Amino acid sequence: MLECEFFSKKIKNPILLASGILGMTKASLETACDNGCGGVIAKSLTLEPRKGHEGPNIIETECGILNAMGYPNPGIEFGLTEFGGWKRKEALVISIVGKDAKEFGLLAKKVEDSKKELGATAIEAVISCPHTPGYGTMAGQGTPESIIEITNAIKDKSKLPLIIKLSPSIPGEGKAAKAAEDAGADGINMGNSLGPGMKIDLARKKPILGFGVGGLTGPAIKPIIVRGVYDIYKSVNIPIIATGGITNGSDAIEMIMAGASWVSVGSAVYYRGPKVFGDIAKEMETWMKENKYKKHAELVGVAHDVRDHKSDIY
Ligand SMILES: Cc1cc2nc3c(=O)[nH]c(=O)nc-3n(C[C@H](O)[C@H](O)[C@H](O)COP(=O)(O)O)c2cc1C
């Protein structure tokens, strides 16, 4: 009942591994697949290798997880070799992150050039990290103008379907998504971590994270993501991945009702372990049987009376 298409690929369910979670090596992506996801979004890759921020870079709070990783990654060359040769039935999405449109274009060209050996289904461009200087919201990449420039630069260099990963921290997600769609994006991911936020160590009287601030993920951000997906669904015709706070089958169904075609799961791996993907799939199926739905596609956007394409409420 959960089988669906993810761009050109048929996948067993609409549950994906979110970027940056378990996703540094091909083996860890395969672990997520073995545990029941329909596809994986690999760790974001930059042009050059990056060490990321000084630790501690991840801390649990009373209502979610704060992280300030700062994009530690081996760089695009090594990353594409590591993730390459993907032959599994689950979809692989390559995540790229650049400082500006030019860098995004260079990254897209590298993915395009190794497309055959790679076996990836799509590219995701991340413009939404709230805690890495030079990238994402700290570089002002969330404006419609910047989104158009970045989308054009990538579409110019690669024919793979392009997903733009937006921030829930910047108002106007509907307009941002529409700018991406008009510039040729094939899908939207709503969204990334929220913030930045901070946690202070009372004994040391200092912020705990090495970078001082970090992005909030997990259940606390779910209502904001639901609203973002709802606004984006009204604003565009391209499909949406919902990301943020999805921990169980009901959360996934709620996102789909708001307008998502797929969901991606991150922090719930910390809360429920790697089996979470298969467990969410089973929980979705149970809900659908109880409520007499044969395919989850019937539920996409049902929370809307009409899809009126008016600008977002917020
Ligand atoms: C430790 C950690 C690392 C992350 N790294 C990335 C990354 O490299 N690229 C990216 O697009 N998102 C990254 N994210 C954000 C997640 O992909 C996801 O958008 C966010 O965690 C919200 O989903 P969740 O509430 O299910 O965790 C990271 C999140 C965490 C917690």
Side-chain angles (χ1 to χ4, degrees), residues 18-21 43-44 58 67 69 71 95 124 126 165 191-193 217-218 221 243-246 264-267 270:
S19 179
I21 319 286
K43 174 73 190 170
S44 301
I58 181 157
N67 93 83
M69 303 303 292
Y71 288 128
S95 170
E124 179 166 279
V126 197
K165 186 170 182 183
N192 211 317
S193 55
T217 64
I221 73 170
T243 309
I246 297 157
S264 90
V265 173
S267 301
Y270 298 109

Side-chain angles (χ1 to χ4, degrees), residues 148-189:
I148 291 168
E149 234 193 307
I150 290 170
T151 306
N152 282 334
I154 299 171
K155 290 305 281 186
D156 197 37
K157 293 287 186 305
S158 174
K159 299 213 160 20
L160 277 168
L162 171 63
I163 301 153
I164 300 286
K165 186 170 182 183
L166 295 178
S167 167
S169 309
I170 295 172
E173 291 92 340
K175 285 189 191 77
K178 181 79 171 69
E181 179 181 49
D182 289 347
D186 304 278
I188 299 292
N189 187 342

Side-chain angles (χ1 to χ4, degrees), residues 44-48 50 71 73 76 94-108 123-129 132-142 146 149-150 153-154 162 164-165:
S44 301
L45 298 170
T46 47
L47 266 186
E48 302 298 334
R50 281 177 57 90
Y71 288 128
N73 79 96
I76 188 88
I94 295 295
S95 170
I96 57 172
V97 57
K99 288 195 166 133
D100 51 30
K102 188 167 165 233
E103 268 200 26
F104 272 107
L106 291 170
L107 289 158
I123 295 179
E124 179 166 279
V126 197
I127 55 164
S128 40
C129 179
T132 308
Y135 296 89
T137 56
M138 290 191 79
Q141 291 177 347
S146 165
E149 234 193 307
I150 290 170
I154 299 171
L162 171 63
I164 300 286
K165 186 170 182 183

Side-chain angles (χ1 to χ4, degrees), residues 205-244:
K205 307 178 203 68
K206 290 282 177 291
I208 294 177
L209 290 171
F211 185 59
V213 298
L216 184 65
T217 64
I221 73 170
K222 197 190 87 182
I224 293 163
I225 302 296
V226 173
R227 198 268 311 146
V229 169
Y230 188 92
D231 277 353
I232 291 170
Y233 183 80
K234 281 198 300 133
S235 308
V236 299
N237 289 308
I238 50 177
I240 304 164
I241 303 173
T243 309

